[in-house]
Amino acid sequence: MILLLPVSRFRVTYEVGAGRPYSRLEELVCRMIAEAAQPVTLAQLRETFHVHDRLLIESVVTLVRAGWAAMNLGEGLAITEQGRQTLSKGGRPQSTTVRKASTSLYMERVCGLLERETQSALNLRSLRSLRELGMSGADLDRSMLTIRNPRNSLSIGQAQGLLPHRAGEWIRWVGEPRMHTKGNDFVPLHVDLASSTVTGLPRTWEPLLTEVLLRAAHEREEEMEEFSQEKISQLISQPPGTRTVQSRAPRTASLPLPPGRAALITGKEEFLSAAQRCIEDAETSVLIMVSAIDAEGVKTWERDLKDALKRGLRVDVLWGETDTDSDGLSELKRIAFESASGPARTLRFNARPAGTVSQIVVADHSADGAGTVTVILGGVSLLHTVVGQDPALPALKVSDPGVAAQIARAAAGWWAETAGEDLSASTDRWRRLASSWEESAAQSPRSSNHVPAQLGGGHLETAQVLLDADCATLEYGQGRGDGVIVRAYPAKAADDDGQMLRGAAAVHLRGPSWSTAPALVTEYQGGS
């Protein structure tokens, strides 16, 4: 039996960065400018360092472009506040180059799974090509699978883990994915009910889609006509001229995790205390992402929210749903009004349900963009008084900027996809923070760009961020391996029909400290 899986194509433009620590000369020039009582001239730099003017000019241009120094016309070079703050903390500037890139991502329209064009060339067929291969109008009608995933958009969070980039580069910025085809292409699949096999699916789609497709085939069994083996081979084979690129790179790369950057939180009181400290220690921005809100839950955290707002923090709340009989949204509006300072609105939240399922707290602890950040995934429900629902424990507290970047960019994508929130200032802020954290992580001496595969004779500890589709396939046993998996949501990430829940996030930890079997994710098979 032949089934036709509808597929949409999205085009994504993005920027990747590559960088290095500044040279010793650039660092010394920066410190001389910072320590000088008056603006520093090129002549003074020449007298101090005794090197060729070209090297001095290159150093000055690099520092000015980075925002560490400023040129006062007619006077000389002066240190900026950003440069002064970082140097006072022992920081060292970085030199960064930016490259623009673009790629195509494909979304199948039954469950919403994604594939990138460089992972494996999909056997995509247009209606015209299917007719040319001998499929009649009746054959097409019977074989087309129903579009059950109505989404015509793709978030930047979903896209980020599939964007190809070279070794030593990091994702610096991701544009909003644009749909180019709306389910107008199809992947022909051969379903053999006798052997319960499906041929023609990408390997990454098999765990979630196979059972769904077998059920669809059983439902259509009486009305379907069998094709000859020759026609089946023509349909499921790659079209002539198609170049298949097999990539063994993981869909989402694992990030090096220095010792002490991550810890499990196993108890309710420990989690509440950690969440409270996370908010109290923030210096610029806090993101609180919850699956649901209600009036009582918001009131419970009102003091913490108001204290953060009083300190000048920008607090963002992304909620999934609200109880109809307890208006948590009205309580958020009240707190925002009572805490307003002039025209600035420092408490932001989505006005309509986002439908997200995860619980995440992200706090930026560095006003100078140094990459000091804390993320807490899972735990006891915040802003919602839950009765009869198990908490997502153990939770995970992690202070790695690379992990924080991927979580923050995903949250910005989920926020932007929420109805009426596509122009929210919150999405832009968290995207900018994600870019700065990713750059900080990539240029760290412990990043994957600088570390060997092993450190001190032991294996490097890593963290892999899993989002949406990766969470759904994970629960079907795909990609477990060794280590520990911590989820930010208490329920499974896909229903029994393979439909993914929105806003699912998890982290897979590997290494000597996380050597136990990944038993923190519950098995979900069929309807069990």
Side-chain angles (χ1 to χ4, degrees):
M1 176 188 310
I2 292 291
L3 294 180
L4 300 176
L5 179 65
V7 174
S8 294
R9 180 167 69 93
F10 294 83
R11 195 67 183 168
V12 186
T13 58
Y14 59 103
E15 293 179 355
V16 292
R20 59 167 178 82
Y22 279 10
S23 68
R24 181 63 175 164
L25 174 61
E26 291 162 341
E27 183 181 4
L28 291 173
V29 168
C30 189
R31 293 192 180 278
M32 177 180 172
I33 296 171
E35 294 169 359
Q38 301 293 330
V40 176
T41 64
L42 181 61
Q44 290 173 317
L45 292 176
R46 187 186 302 119
E47 292 172 2
T48 301
F49 295 104
H50 300 284
V51 297
H52 196 280
D53 280 2
R54 179 180 60 82
L55 295 176
L56 292 174
I57 292 172
E58 288 178 353
S59 298
V60 168
V61 169
T62 301
L63 293 170
V64 171
R65 284 180 176 175
W68 286 59
M71 175 68 76
N72 296 326
L73 294 178
E75 297 183 11
L77 292 158
I79 196 70
T80 64
E81 184 61 27
Q82 179 185 357
R84 190 182 305 279
Q85 287 182 2
T86 305
L87 286 174
S88 67
K89 295 183 178 181
R92 189 173 183 180
Q94 304 285 336
S95 175
T96 302
T97 59
V98 177
R99 175 177 66 87
K100 291 186 177 181
S102 62
T103 192
S104 289
L105 300 180
Y106 299 93
M107 176 192 287
E108 55 82 14
R109 300 304 299 270
V110 174
C111 294
L113 298 176
L114 299 171
E115 188 60 278
R116 58 187 176 190
E117 61 181 352
T118 55
Q119 185 75 11
S120 59
L122 291 172
N123 178 23
L124 292 177
R125 305 278 187 170
S126 65
L127 288 175
R128 179 178 178 179
S129 68
L130 291 170
R131 292 190 183 100
E132 291 175 349
L133 288 172
M135 293 191 74
S136 64
D139 291 334
L140 293 172
D141 290 340
R142 286 191 293 263
S143 300
M144 282 186 191
L145 289 163
T146 303
I147 293 180
R148 296 191 297 144
N149 176 40
R151 292 175 60 188
N152 293 320
S153 62
L154 179 64
S155 74
I156 57 174
Q158 290 176 287
Q160 67 176 345
L162 295 170
L163 302 178
H165 52 284
R166 302 166 188 159
E169 295 180 331
W170 66 90
I171 303 299
R172 185 174 181 271
W173 172 85
V174 183
E176 294 295 338
R178 303 297 180 187
M179 177 180 282
H180 275 219
T181 63
K182 187 178 179 180
N184 298 328
D185 293 316
F186 302 87
V187 177
L189 306 170
H190 179 230
V191 182
D192 187 341
L193 291 176
S195 61
S196 296
T197 58
V198 179
T199 305
L201 278 177
R203 282 180 297 175
T204 54
W205 291 1
E206 290 175 356
L208 202 60
L209 272 176
T210 299
E211 290 298 323
V212 174
L213 295 173
L214 288 174
R215 284 199 297 269
H218 276 293
E219 294 169 358
R220 301 168 183 230
E221 187 174 7
E222 294 184 359
E223 63 184 77
M224 298 295 288
E225 293 185 3
E226 285 296 331
F227 291 93
S228 67
Q229 191 59 46
E230 180 182 1
K231 183 176 287 189
I232 290 174
S233 298
Q234 290 177 336
L235 286 168
I236 66 173
S237 299
Q238 294 284 352
T242 300
R243 184 172 66 92
T244 300
V245 181
Q246 294 291 345
S247 171
R248 296 187 179 276
R251 295 172 64 87
T252 306
S254 294
L255 304 171
L257 191 64
R261 289 283 183 90
L264 296 180
I265 301 173
T266 58
K268 176 181 177 180
E269 295 304 322
E270 181 188 4
F271 167 79
L272 294 174
S273 177
Q276 192 172 38
R277 286 198 306 272
C278 184
I279 297 173
E280 289 175 350
D281 294 341
E283 290 190 15
T284 65
S285 300
V286 172
L287 170 67
I288 301 175
M289 179 176 169
V290 292
S291 59
I293 58 173
D294 63 15
E296 192 62 32
V298 173
K299 289 178 182 178
T300 301
W301 285 85
E302 178 175 352
R303 179 177 177 179
D304 297 275
L305 294 175
K306 285 186 173 180
D307 286 347
L309 295 169
K310 189 178 298 183
R311 301 198 321 269
L313 268 65
R314 287 164 293 191
V315 180
D316 299 299
V317 177
L318 178 62
W319 53 274
E321 61 182 26
T322 183
D323 290 350
T324 55
D325 57 346
S326 180
D327 197 352
L329 183 58
S330 294
E331 292 299 319
L332 286 176
K333 292 178 179 178
R334 177 183 60 80
I335 294 173
F337 176 78
E338 294 176 355
S339 304
S341 176
R345 178 188 171 204
T346 52
L347 174 61
R348 295 182 181 271
F349 43 86
N350 46 308
R352 301 179 187 177
T356 48
V357 299
S358 290
Q359 176 160 292
I360 300 170
V361 178
V362 184
D364 181 26
H365 302 304
S366 54
D368 57 2
T372 308
V373 58
T374 298
V375 179
I376 299 179
L377 291 95
V380 181
S381 180
L382 301 177
L383 308 183
H384 187 234
T385 52
V386 181
V387 177
Q389 179 177 312
D390 293 333
L393 288 173
L396 176 68
K397 179 180 178 181
V398 59
S399 57
D400 181 77
V403 173
Q406 294 191 17
I407 294 293
R409 190 176 285 124
W414 293 323
W415 198 313
E417 277 196 312
T418 302
E421 298 291 331
D422 53 326
L423 299 178
S424 172
S426 299
T427 63
D428 291 335
R429 179 165 62 258
W430 289 103
R431 289 171 72 169
R432 288 195 303 269
L433 286 170
S435 295
S436 66
W437 294 335
E438 190 124 41
E439 182 171 349
S440 175
Q443 294 180 334
S444 165
R446 293 297 301 269
S447 77
S448 56
N449 301 336
H450 307 292
V451 299
Q454 293 185 338
L455 294 174
H459 291 282
L460 178 68
E461 297 197 344
T462 63
Q464 182 182 7
V465 178
L466 308 169
L467 303 168
D468 288 335
D470 290 324
C471 292
T473 55
L474 185 73
E475 291 171 353
Y476 279 76
Q478 180 80 357
R480 287 287 193 88
D482 58 352
V484 171
I485 299 168
V486 183
R487 299 183 308 174
Y489 52 95
K492 56 183 179 178
D495 61 23
D496 294 333
D497 290 328
Q499 292 297 300
M500 291 181 295
L501 302 181
R502 187 162 173 261
V507 175
H508 194 166
L509 303 161
R510 296 183 178 93
S513 299
W514 317 99
S515 57
T516 59
L520 299 182
V521 174
T522 305
E523 289 273 2
Y524 293 104
Q525 298 289 349
S528 59

